Amino acid sequence: MAVVGIDLGTTFTVVACVRGGRVNVLPDEQGRRLLPSVVSFHPNGDVLVGYPAKERRIVDAKNTIASVKRLIGRAWDSDEIRRAKQRFAFELKEGPGQGPLVVARGQEYTLPEISAFVLRRAKQIAEKALGEIVDRAVITVPASFNELQRAATKVAGRVAGLEVLRIINEPTAAALAYGLGRSAKERIAIYDFGGGTFDCTLLDLSGNVFEVLATAGDTFLGGDDLDMAIAERMSEAFLHAHRYDPRSDPQAFERLRVAAETIKIELSTQDRAHSKLRELAFGVGGAHLDLDFGMTRDELEMLAAPLVERTFAVCQESLSVARLPVSAFDRVILVGGSTRIPLVRRRVEQFFGAAPLDRVNPEEVVAIGAAIQAAALTEVARRRSIPPPPARKSHPSQHTEDETEEVTVAAPIASLVAEQEKARARMASQPPEVPRTTARMAPPPLPPTSTVRTARMSAPEVSAPVPDPAATIPRPLVFDDVLRAERESAETTQPKAPLTNTQPMRQVPTPPLAGPPADFAHAIVSPSPRTAPMMAAPQVQSPPAAL
């Protein structure tokens, strides 16, 4: 069983795992490390995920679902859903509890179910790359996600057959990937410009403590919006050339969006890009209409400038919430594929006054941090799952090495218990010290025929169980025992006088009593030892009849 970290992105999903102390981004069968977050429902009943589904956007846009991350956890009457219905080619409808549903091939799917298809494919890629079953994962979400959106993401993981160990913020995962905050306390800013969302998160790092100072975001600001702007420019060029607006055809406009994404990627590393689309539409007599479109980097930056400036408005909002200036932050980390645009990198450096960190692939950094967090949680769970130490055996020398390691923590406690048992045995072997008064008033010992009394008074062996402390308590004394002790004391101190009738017997007057207690059976009056010489023989007078 393996555990992985998954970056469930709007446009791409990445899965990573820690093996041998190193983090590895897991590729698919063709060696591709990025999995498109696209799901397509084929007419033959198959569900395509990833690159095969992305190719279906060109020919079957109505049944190909993409960029649903920004819609997950949203209500049907929200602004995000209204904007999505105008932008996406697939059908959306209201479901139970005002939740949006996706309609494809006559079937209705919830948004967590669509995300579950992507997570299931990521799980399959990880299992093939690792050669073992993957059943647990840490999944990342934007820092601006609310509790409902996080819960929906967790549900998607469960539907995909994964035990979601934790849902963590993407900025936190990026900081973990860079290993910041280990050596010294520092403040960092995370500039996360992805495919569908933008977030700016300010963190205070100190050791293993990651404190979020402030976060702000826009769920409809990302690379998809730039693709839309390029597709609008291509639509205007096609309209000017052929007197036909491809925006009126959802399938044709979806083809323009796919081509716009390719142009954006090429212009991130080149000065000019060119795209040619065949049979984008059909004219009079069924003649096919093509589009031959080209764009320079300067034109791309003109289109991207308003979107990029919106990101810095969000950054300023987060700084206002934290009440900190830009100079208070030591480093800036770039996250997301849209940060590859040269304009974005220049503006980030100008805004924060420092060159951003980009030594880790910005499209993989979040998945790497999620894998690190997953490995840490697995290690903590492994330590907690260590079984308790086994019961104490009579021959400790026969324990194996593993048993010895398990009982190491309990060894001091066991030794203390053994010492207490030895001390209790020593105390039981010695006769209890009886006070002088108690010894004088104690009854005479029973004859040796009583096995119970002999067993109690004999010294127990070391191997015998510890005697009950209550056994050492003397038997309660009754009044007859007191009388017997007084008689024996008087006989040992003074010899008995002959019994004659010339010695009168001294009687002690008994005061009248209001009434004896209920448990008082009789009263006994005995002579004092000092009056013994005056008496011929000690006698006991019966109580008055009134008593």
Side-chain angles (χ1 to χ4, degrees):
M1 301 291 183
V3 58
V4 296
I6 300 177
D7 174 20
L8 182 60
T10 305
T11 54
F12 287 96
T13 296
V14 186
V15 57
C17 183
V18 176
R19 276 292 180 270
R22 298 179 62 87
V23 185
N24 301 310
V25 178
L26 305 179
D28 61 4
E29 296 81 1
Q30 287 73 32
R32 296 170 295 197
R33 298 153 71 95
L34 301 180
L35 172 67
S37 302
V38 184
V39 180
S40 181
F41 297 90
H42 200 272
N44 62 6
D46 295 339
V47 180
L48 306 179
V49 182
Y51 288 98
K54 189 175 182 180
E55 296 173 357
R56 295 282 303 174
R57 290 178 63 183
I58 302 176
V59 297
D60 192 11
K62 186 177 181 180
N63 298 294
T64 303
I65 319 301
S67 301
V68 297
K69 177 182 176 179
R70 61 175 66 184
L71 306 179
I72 194 169
R74 301 290 183 181
W76 175 254
D77 56 353
S78 62
D79 294 336
E80 292 80 6
I81 298 296
R82 284 194 292 267
R83 294 169 63 180
K85 289 189 296 183
Q86 300 173 359
R87 176 178 298 187
F88 296 148
F90 53 87
E91 181 183 356
L92 291 171
K93 65 175 296 186
E94 184 179 3
Q98 294 186 345
L101 297 177
V102 174
V103 181
R105 302 289 177 193
Q107 299 292 330
E108 298 177 353
Y109 302 91
T110 63
L111 298 185
E113 286 180 310
I114 300 298
S115 297
F117 286 118
V118 180
L119 291 174
R120 190 177 292 113
R121 172 57 179 160
K123 177 177 180 291
Q124 181 183 4
I125 292 174
E127 289 177 345
K128 289 185 178 180
L130 298 175
E132 57 180 320
I133 297 176
V134 175
D135 61 341
R136 293 163 296 168
V138 170
I139 304 177
T140 62
V141 296
S144 59
F145 263 27
N146 55 33
E147 292 300 325
L148 182 59
Q149 292 172 303
R150 295 171 187 268
T153 304
K154 196 168 186 178
V155 169
R158 292 178 180 176
V159 173
L162 292 170
E163 177 188 354
V164 182
L165 298 179
R166 185 167 297 180
I167 299 291
I168 66 172
N169 295 332
E170 295 171 356
T172 303
L176 287 172
Y178 276 93
L180 301 178
R182 296 179 180 178
S183 57
K185 184 177 181 180
E186 55 185 340
R187 291 173 178 169
I188 64 172
I190 310 294
Y191 184 91
D192 187 355
F193 196 11
T197 59
F198 173 77
D199 294 288
C200 181
T201 305
L202 310 179
L203 299 177
D204 187 278
L205 310 182
S206 179
N208 294 329
V209 179
F210 287 40
E211 180 184 359
V212 178
L213 301 177
T215 183
D218 190 338
T219 56
F220 262 82
L221 179 57
D224 284 351
D225 297 272
L226 183 54
D227 297 343
M228 183 69 68
I230 299 174
E232 293 282 348
R233 176 68 64 88
M234 298 174 71
S235 299
E236 294 175 0
F238 190 85
L239 176 62
H240 179 74
H242 302 286
R243 305 291 182 174
Y244 177 80
D245 190 355
R247 288 170 288 193
S248 61
D249 183 3
Q251 183 62 59
F253 189 69
E254 191 69 20
R255 291 184 61 186
L256 292 179
R257 290 185 59 185
V258 174
E261 181 183 0
T262 303
I263 292 175
K264 178 189 67 176
I265 295 174
E266 292 180 359
L267 291 178
S268 298
T269 56
Q270 302 175 8
D271 295 332
R272 186 175 182 84
H274 183 269
S275 178
K276 190 171 185 178
L277 299 179
R278 299 289 186 181
E279 300 181 359
L280 184 61
F282 296 92
V284 180
H288 57 82
L289 305 178
D290 303 334
L291 174 63
D292 194 354
F293 182 81
M295 178 178 283
T296 62
R297 180 181 290 182
D298 294 338
E299 293 175 340
L300 174 66
E301 292 182 353
M302 290 180 60
L303 290 176
L307 300 175
V308 175
E309 293 305 318
R310 285 174 57 187
T311 65
F312 292 106
V314 175
C315 293
Q316 190 61 50
E317 179 184 352
S318 63
L319 290 172
S320 301
V321 173
R323 297 182 180 180
L324 293 173
V326 177
S327 58
F329 295 89
D330 305 310
R331 302 181 183 181
V332 182
I333 296 179
L334 296 182
V335 178
S338 298
T339 59
R340 292 182 177 275
I341 301 175
L343 174 64
V344 174
R345 292 173 177 263
R346 294 198 306 268
R347 289 291 291 118
V348 169
E349 185 173 356
Q350 293 173 4
F351 183 84
F352 288 96
L357 296 178
D358 58 353
R359 66 174 183 268
V360 181
N361 189 337
E363 296 175 311
E364 302 175 354
V365 61
V366 173
I368 292 174
I372 295 174
Q373 179 69 18
L377 293 176
T378 305
E379 180 65 19
V380 172
R382 187 191 65 81
R383 292 179 180 178
R384 290 179 179 177
S385 63
I386 295 177
R392 191 165 56 93
K393 300 181 181 180
S394 58
H395 301 284
S397 60
Q398 298 179 357
H399 290 176
T400 61
E401 296 181 358
D402 296 338
E403 292 175 344
T404 304
E405 294 178 357
E406 290 178 355
V407 301
T408 301
V409 178
I413 301 177
S415 62
L416 292 177
V417 173
E419 292 179 0
Q420 292 179 359
E421 291 180 354
K422 293 179 180 180
R424 190 177 301 174
R426 287 194 301 267
M427 294 177 59
S429 62
Q430 298 176 0
E433 296 182 1
V434 182
R436 294 180 59 185
T437 305
T438 305
R440 186 171 61 87
M441 298 179 63
L446 298 177
T449 56
S450 177
T451 57
V452 177
R453 177 65 63 180
T454 305
R456 287 185 179 180
M457 297 300 295
S458 60
E461 299 179 358
V462 177
S463 59
V466 179
D468 187 4
T472 60
I473 301 176
R475 179 173 59 85
L477 303 180
V478 295
F479 195 80
D480 294 339
D481 298 332
V482 177
L483 181 60
R484 186 185 302 108
E486 292 289 344
R487 285 179 178 177
E488 293 177 355
S489 176
E491 291 176 358
T492 55
T493 55
Q494 187 69 22
K496 294 182 180 181
L499 182 59
T500 59
N501 294 332
T502 58
Q503 295 181 356
M505 183 177 62
R506 181 181 177 182
Q507 297 183 356
V508 179
T510 304
L513 300 177
D519 57 347
F520 192 81
H522 57 279
I524 302 175
V525 179
S526 60
S528 173
R530 290 177 295 180
T531 61
M534 301 173 58
M535 301 173 58
Q539 297 182 1
V540 179
Q541 172 136 4
S542 301
L547 296 178

